[in-house]
Amino acid sequence: MSYLLNMQVFNLFEFFKKNIRFNIKYIVLAILISLVVYFTIPRKYESHVSILSSDSLKGSGGVSSLITQFSGVNLDTNANPLFNPDVLKKVIKSDKNLTKILLMHISIGDEHLTIFEHLFKNYDINDIQDFALGKKNFQNNMISVYKELNTPIINISIETKNPELSYQICRIIYDETVTTVNLRNREKNNIKLSFYLSRMEDIKSNIEVLQLDLVNFKIQNKNYSSSPQLLQIYSNKENELDIEKNVYLDIRLKQESLDIEIQNDTHSLFFIEEPTNPVFKSYPTKGLFILTLILLHIPLLSWYIWNFTRFEEQ
């Protein structure tokens, strides 16, 4: 046994015409309620900054690509994890970083307060629980960090109820992120540089030993070229020396590149779009008004469908 859903469209339109005043009143009331919701919801303003890491600006040309092509040594095997969007998001939203930002003093109009006090006027900054709740709200609802699809550009956005507050927080977060990333990057590079210098000394000693061994072999076996066995031994020693020289060259290039990067005072993160002082609200949107209007019409539409739809047995 099966059933056929039969919608009595003609009767539905007839009923709609007979109750046109009620339907118009309902629609007007739904529009008014939607407008009230739209205009009474607190407005929010978003400021955002777009940034690009210095790693993404590095080309694939130059000496390193030649070394990769001819010696098989890749100098750029690992991108800097500090510039990974997920890592940057962790850095920006870390508990230590958020606490530092929320306790910073800024001026909005005539008020010179901490960012926490500007954001959460009903919370007590000296109360541990209030501060933790405010920080969680700030972390989950006000900060957004995301990477654009198919590009290395990273966007940071801040949304608050005050356009000037959004702008100042966005600027502070960018500055703090740059400072933190540069500091950690410098520490990481110093550790790598120390390793490279130590390794270069070891390899340099190995090269000297191998060179001396090769010279002694040639002195002790002056006619080695006439002996296939001695020639093979000589060739192996020479190959071992070449490998050590290639490794030394690889590390030397990395060490010089790191020296330049450490001495360079420019930031590792660059502005693509600077933080802006928002003029227009970001929330509520027109989409919210339309959604509210649709939701308010669901009861009326459901009533019509229920009363003018019949299940007929086939």
Side-chain angles (χ1 to χ4, degrees):
M1 182 182 294
S2 60
Y3 293 90
L4 178 66
L5 185 65
N6 182 19
M7 183 111 179
Q8 299 172 347
V9 179
F10 179 77
N11 292 339
L12 176 61
F13 279 116
E14 285 295 318
F15 185 83
F16 186 85
K17 288 179 183 179
K18 289 180 181 179
N19 297 274
I20 189 69
R21 289 185 179 180
F22 169 79
N23 291 309
I24 291 175
K25 288 178 181 179
Y26 189 96
I27 293 170
V28 170
L29 180 62
I31 292 173
L32 289 175
I33 293 174
S34 299
L35 288 171
V36 169
V37 171
Y38 180 77
F39 286 109
T40 55
I41 290 179
R43 296 186 176 188
K44 293 182 180 180
Y45 299 85
E46 181 183 272
S47 179
H48 69 275
V49 58
S50 298
I51 57 179
L52 187 67
S53 71
S54 58
D55 272 15
S56 61
L57 302 176
K58 295 177 182 177
S60 59
V63 177
S64 62
S65 62
L66 292 175
I67 293 295
T68 301
Q69 182 178 354
F70 293 107
S71 69
V73 177
N74 188 358
L75 301 184
D76 300 314
T77 52
N78 295 312
N80 193 333
L82 286 172
F83 302 129
N84 183 292
D86 292 329
V87 176
L88 276 176
K89 189 173 181 179
K90 288 288 185 182
V91 170
I92 294 168
K93 291 192 170 187
S94 66
D95 187 78
K96 181 180 179 180
N97 195 50
L98 291 184
T99 300
K100 182 179 179 181
I101 290 169
L102 288 172
L103 293 177
M104 287 183 177
H105 285 77
I106 59 173
S107 296
I108 303 294
D110 297 329
E111 293 184 316
H112 184 73
L113 303 169
T114 63
I115 291 176
F116 181 89
E117 290 169 318
H118 280 296
L119 290 172
F120 310 107
K121 296 185 181 297
N122 296 326
Y123 287 4
D124 182 3
I125 192 172
N126 297 313
D127 185 274
I128 296 176
Q129 187 173 359
D130 278 3
F131 190 83
L133 288 172
K135 182 164 57 177
K136 186 176 181 181
N137 187 8
F138 181 61
Q139 180 185 52
N140 296 334
N141 302 320
M142 299 183 188
I143 302 178
S144 177
V145 183
Y146 60 94
K147 177 181 176 294
E148 292 187 5
L149 291 175
N150 303 320
T151 72
I153 297 173
I154 299 167
N155 296 291
I156 303 171
S157 64
I158 303 298
E159 190 177 56
T160 72
K161 296 177 182 178
N162 186 300
E164 177 65 21
L165 182 58
S166 295
Y167 167 73
Q168 290 201 39
I169 294 175
C170 190
R171 185 82 196 200
I172 288 170
I173 286 178
Y174 169 78
D175 291 339
E176 287 299 312
T177 302
V178 168
T179 300
T180 302
V181 168
N182 283 341
L183 178 61
R184 294 183 182 180
N185 196 44
R186 196 174 296 113
E187 290 173 350
K188 178 179 68 70
N189 285 341
N190 283 327
I191 293 172
K192 287 174 68 176
L193 183 62
S194 177
F195 169 77
Y196 289 156
L197 292 173
S198 174
R199 189 76 183 103
M200 283 169 60
E201 287 298 319
D202 292 340
I203 296 173
K204 191 175 180 181
S205 298
N206 290 341
I207 291 174
E208 291 174 355
V209 171
L210 290 171
Q211 286 176 332
L212 182 60
D213 183 50
L214 200 61
V215 170
N216 290 334
F217 180 85
K218 291 172 72 175
I219 293 173
Q220 295 171 5
N221 303 278
K222 294 182 179 180
N223 298 320
Y224 70 91
S225 58
S226 61
S227 169
Q229 193 173 22
L230 291 176
L231 186 61
Q232 182 63 47
I233 294 173
Y234 176 81
S235 178
N236 291 340
K237 289 179 180 292
E238 195 173 37
N239 287 339
E240 188 177 356
L241 179 60
D242 288 340
I243 291 172
E244 287 292 313
K245 287 181 178 179
N246 283 335
V247 173
Y248 182 86
L249 176 61
D250 172 25
I251 296 178
R252 177 68 181 273
L253 288 171
K254 290 180 178 180
Q255 176 257 320
E256 290 182 353
S257 177
L258 265 181
D259 271 335
I260 294 171
E261 187 174 342
I262 291 172
Q263 296 302 322
N264 190 357
D265 291 331
T266 58
H267 291 325
S268 300
L269 298 174
F270 300 91
F271 277 131
I272 295 298
E273 184 179 354
E274 294 192 25
T276 53
N277 197 335
V279 177
F280 302 105
K281 62 180 173 34
S282 59
Y283 184 84
T285 61
K286 292 179 181 178
L288 178 66
F289 170 77
I290 295 171
L291 178 62
T292 306
L293 192 59
I294 291 172
L295 290 175
L296 289 172
H297 278 84
I298 288 177
L300 180 63
L301 291 172
S302 300
W303 186 86
Y304 276 133
I305 292 171
W306 177 260
N307 283 275
F308 291 93
T309 302
R310 296 289 182 269
F311 287 98
E312 295 180 356
E313 186 176 332
Q314 287 186 327

